[in-house]
């Protein structure tokens, strides 16, 4: 019908098909609870087929059904509890924070977070592909707190997993995000407790980290200091609303310092590049550590990851995310990053790195 341009008949056929999808989707949703995701897929297909101008109310009604089913699907999802002994982790973290000054405690908290080596993550993904065939057979989806699908991750090609770099990158970000939600978050929760037990942090206590910091753009040190103060004082959710956009500005400033542009020019108007474009800057990758870029990209800007910057920018960050493991990891990461460009903090980092090596040697 489309090829022969029989528009009226095409619309009638599309409407009839949409009605079938809607009817079948509702039957599935109200029948077998395990088929709820399939029901949602059918209703979404129906929405795409309806004429948006003549069937607008029908589409709105279906969207309301989809929203209800998505919430129902979330409540039906089963959790898998497991037990493990956290005492060795706690012991190791407590050793790292023994007999530290407040400044050293702050820098040590930053050192607990991981800078993920891109090549190591890639190797782990490729190794896992042979251990777990599901990565090559099934598409995975990432849902948000409302049950909406926000990212679809296709399976890797079993014969040529590196043939599609974009899909491989999504798997890498997903792997890092899952690792961050488990091991890293546990370590950071213990470390965060030691920071809070070290005493009340004041704004002046953070000057060593932000004043004369080579990476902080002019005039932004006070607001960044305040964001860090909130985060280290237990107000992590509020801190995210300051630190995430400020880190985006720092990245843009780095791109400019590396010799690239941070804006587009179109029809005489200039518009700043989004964070996703800044992360892809060739000049940035020439000048800055690839692993640091990847780590921040995975937590700030990728839907397969935490996507904190975009969630925050659109006002979608709720307390569960803003006080969660990814937010805690971001606070630790930004402290580590700023410590690299502060003379005093960098000196402390080197001292603490020696202490960490001593502890690791004793453990061995």
């Amino acid at each position: 019908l489309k090829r022969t341009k029989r528009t009226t008949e095409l619309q009638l056929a599309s409407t009839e098909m949409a009605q079938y999808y809607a009817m079948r989707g509702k039957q599935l949703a109200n029948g077998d609870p395990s088929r709820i995701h399939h029901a949602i897929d059918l209703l979404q297909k129906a929405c795409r087929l309806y004429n948006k101008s003549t069937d607008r109310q029908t589409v709105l009604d279906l969207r309301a059904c989809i929203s209800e089913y998505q919430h129902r699907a979330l409540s039906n999802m089963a959790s898998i509890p497991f037990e493990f002994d956290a005492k060795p982790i706690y012991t190791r973290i407590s050793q790292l924070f023994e007999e530290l000054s407040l400044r050293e405690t702050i820098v040590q908290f930053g050192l607990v977070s991981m800078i993920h080596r891109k090549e190591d993550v890639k190797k782990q993904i490729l190794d896992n592909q042979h251990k777990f065939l599901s990565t090559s057979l099934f598409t995975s989806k990432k849902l948000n707190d409302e049950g909406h699908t926000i990212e679809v991750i296709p399976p890797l090609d079993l014969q040529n997993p590196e043939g599609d770099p974009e899909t491989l990158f999504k798997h890498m970000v997903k792997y890092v995000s899952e690792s961050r939600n488990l091991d890293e978050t546990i370590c950071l929760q213990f470390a965060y407790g030691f920071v809070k037990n070290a005493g009340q942090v004041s704004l002046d206590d953070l000057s060593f980290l932000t004043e004369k910091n080579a990476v902080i753009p002019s005039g932004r040190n006070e607001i960044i200091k305040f964001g860090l103060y909130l985060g280290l004082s237990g107000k992590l959710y509020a801190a995210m609303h300051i630190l995430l956009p400020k880190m985006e500005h720092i990245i843009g400033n780095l791109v400019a310092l590396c010799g690239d542009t941070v804006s587009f020019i179109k029809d005489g108007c200039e518009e700043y590049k989004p964070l996703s474009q800044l992360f892809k800057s060739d000049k940035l990758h020439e000048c800055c550590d690839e692993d640091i870029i990847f780590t921040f990209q995975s937590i700030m800007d990728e839907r397969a990851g935490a996507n904190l910057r975009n969630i925050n920018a659109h006002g979608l960050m709720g307390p569960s995310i803003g006080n969660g493991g990814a937010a805690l990891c971001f606070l630790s990461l930004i402290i580590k990053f700023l410590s690299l460009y502060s003379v005093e903090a960098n000196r402390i980092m080197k001292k603490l790195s020696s202490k960490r090596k001593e502890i690791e040697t004793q453990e061995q």
Side-chain angles (χ1 to χ4, degrees), residues 9 11 22 27 62 76 107 123-124 144 165 180 238 282 300:
E9 293 173 81
Q11 187 55 55
Q27 285 179 342
L62 284 178
N76 290 340
V107 175
K123 182 179 183 302
Q124 190 64 53
N144 63 11
R180 187 177 285 138
D282 291 335
M300 291 179 70

Side-chain angles (χ1 to χ4, degrees), residues 236-251:
L236 187 59
Y237 183 35
M240 289 301 102
H241 290 78
I242 295 175
L243 295 177
L244 283 163
K246 291 308 158 195
M247 188 61 201
E248 179 176 3
H249 187 242
I250 286 173
I251 292 166

Side-chain angles (χ1 to χ4, degrees), residues 39-53:
I40 292 169
D41 289 340
L42 291 177
L43 293 187
Q44 289 176 338
K45 286 182 179 180
C47 288
R48 290 193 291 270
L49 285 169
Y50 274 119
N51 187 308
K52 300 301 184 293
S53 57

